[in-house]
Amino acid sequence: MLNKEIWVNQLMENFYPERSFLRKVLDFSEHVNANKLHIPSSGIDPKVLINNTTYPISVVGREDEDCEIALDKFETENTLVRRPEAIEYSYAKLESVISQHRNTLQAQTARKAVHAFAPSENSADTPVLTTTGEAYNGRKRLCANDILALKERFDDALIPLEDRYIILAPKHVSDLLHEDLKLFKEITDLKNGEPFKFAGFGFYAFPYMPTYREGTKVAYGADALEGDMFASVAFYGREVMKADGELYMYSLEDDPRERGTIVGFDKRFIAMPIRNKGIGAIVSAKA
């Protein structure tokens, strides 16, 4: 009999590694019940009165509503495993099988998350800027001034200075390296578990970034069109969240046709902005 607990625990081990930007967001997993996220939506913040001389102070009622959000379901393709009972007793062999499913789930959950963190369009609280660097391969490169411009937009929106991060598209990493190799050579490295910082932002890199079409974010999973431009995404860590739900393992043991056991996994997960504030993007502009 396959010990599913061993396999599930192994898959979740280090699911959010040091280099994952999802380590920097709020974790709402404790609010998940039956693969649904329950978030109490708080009322408006109270005003602060300075040197007040008018009494009585007004009373403003606060109405809280419970918001229920179903977690997304991510499924891996099945894998045929020979002699799984022997693999369970060998960490190296078990890890070699599990890592394929873990890597797939890590990539797809993070891809959905970074798309969710990207603003739908430009606003005061969700700045969407375009690159202004030199022309290269039909687009304008990302440059340091673009990051400084995003910093100012976050400052204008009164986003706290700490816990600001940018997830760079790979080509934008290359742009910054091209501009100043010495300054950005460590841009995707971690020092004592923390990413390199510039202009108050910590930096991560991720290969699957959202795209924009005429200033508006393209829907997740939509077909790409000519002219769609990729973006890097910024967020303030206390304005975005993730939540993990159930991880379930399927197995068909001792299949006589395959002479082995077939396994696959489902993972429930969601990531999203909390108040549609403190998120931003820098979109590659056409040259």
Side-chain angles (χ1 to χ4, degrees):
M1 185 72 177
L2 199 65
N3 190 333
K4 292 186 178 182
E5 184 177 358
I6 292 177
W7 292 71
V8 169
N9 289 342
Q10 182 71 11
L11 190 146
M12 284 305 298
E13 184 175 312
N14 199 31
F15 192 81
Y16 300 110
E18 267 195 344
R19 292 181 178 273
S20 172
F21 63 87
L22 287 171
R23 289 174 66 100
K24 299 301 183 181
V25 310
L26 296 178
D27 190 346
F28 280 13
S29 299
E30 64 182 270
H31 302 295
V32 173
N33 182 29
N35 291 316
K36 292 183 179 179
L37 178 64
H38 297 266
I39 306 177
S41 178
S42 59
I44 60 173
D45 295 333
K47 295 180 179 179
V48 176
L49 308 179
I50 301 176
N51 299 326
N52 178 62
T53 59
T54 302
Y55 298 93
I57 294 176
S58 61
V59 177
V60 179
R62 168 174 156 155
E63 296 181 2
D64 293 351
E65 297 180 356
D66 185 63
C67 180
E68 182 180 275
I69 303 169
L71 272 62
D72 293 322
K73 183 179 182 181
F74 298 81
E75 300 176 276
T76 64
E77 290 185 337
N78 296 321
T79 297
L80 175 63
V81 182
R82 308 290 185 188
R83 302 285 302 219
E85 69 280 0
I87 288 177
E88 287 180 357
Y89 294 102
S90 170
Y91 180 90
K93 291 181 180 179
L94 178 62
E95 177 60 23
S96 70
V97 175
I98 290 295
S99 63
Q100 294 177 310
H101 292 265
R102 184 195 296 114
N103 292 342
T104 299
L105 289 170
Q106 283 175 333
Q108 293 307 313
T109 52
R111 185 175 187 172
K112 189 71 161 54
V114 72
H115 185 275
F117 295 167
S120 296
E121 57 187 3
N122 183 51
S123 74
D125 288 329
T126 62
V128 178
L129 311 182
T130 54
T131 56
T132 62
E134 66 180 12
Y136 177 73
N137 281 353
R139 63 179 180 88
K140 294 182 179 179
R141 289 187 185 272
L142 176 72
C143 62
N145 284 338
D146 299 330
I147 297 173
L148 292 174
L150 184 62
K151 173 194 177 299
E152 291 185 2
R153 289 290 300 274
F154 268 45
D155 294 343
D156 292 343
L158 303 179
I159 304 303
L161 298 177
E162 70 281 0
D163 298 328
R164 294 181 182 183
Y165 301 96
I166 294 180
I167 310 164
L168 290 170
K171 290 182 180 179
H172 283 171
V173 174
S174 299
D175 292 344
L176 295 174
L177 290 168
H178 174 82
E179 181 180 18
D180 192 329
L181 181 61
K182 181 178 179 182
L183 179 60
F184 291 104
K185 67 180 180 178
E186 297 178 328
I187 203 164
T188 57
D189 286 347
L190 298 180
K191 296 180 179 179
N192 299 321
E194 287 299 313
F196 177 86
K197 286 205 168 186
F198 171 74
F201 290 100
F203 289 85
Y204 291 89
F206 188 66
Y208 307 110
M209 300 301 293
T211 57
Y212 283 76
R213 186 178 301 158
E214 298 180 354
T216 301
K217 181 173 67 172
V218 176
Y220 186 80
D223 293 335
L225 297 180
E226 185 177 354
D228 290 355
M229 302 300 288
F230 64 88
S232 292
V233 175
F235 66 90
Y236 169 55
R238 302 193 67 80
E239 285 288 353
V240 290
M241 52 72 63
K242 70 174 185 290
D244 289 301
E246 180 184 32
L247 175 63
Y248 188 81
M249 177 180 179
Y250 295 91
S251 64
L252 177 61
E253 299 186 39
D254 296 332
D255 187 302
R257 297 165 300 176
E258 299 291 351
R259 294 297 194 268
T261 293
I262 300 171
V263 299
F265 295 87
D266 287 352
K267 177 172 172 55
R268 295 284 188 156
F269 170 88
I270 199 167
M272 58 191 297
I274 298 172
R275 299 189 301 170
N276 205 35
K277 182 180 175 71
I279 54 176
I282 305 177
V283 184
S284 286
K286 297 177 183 177

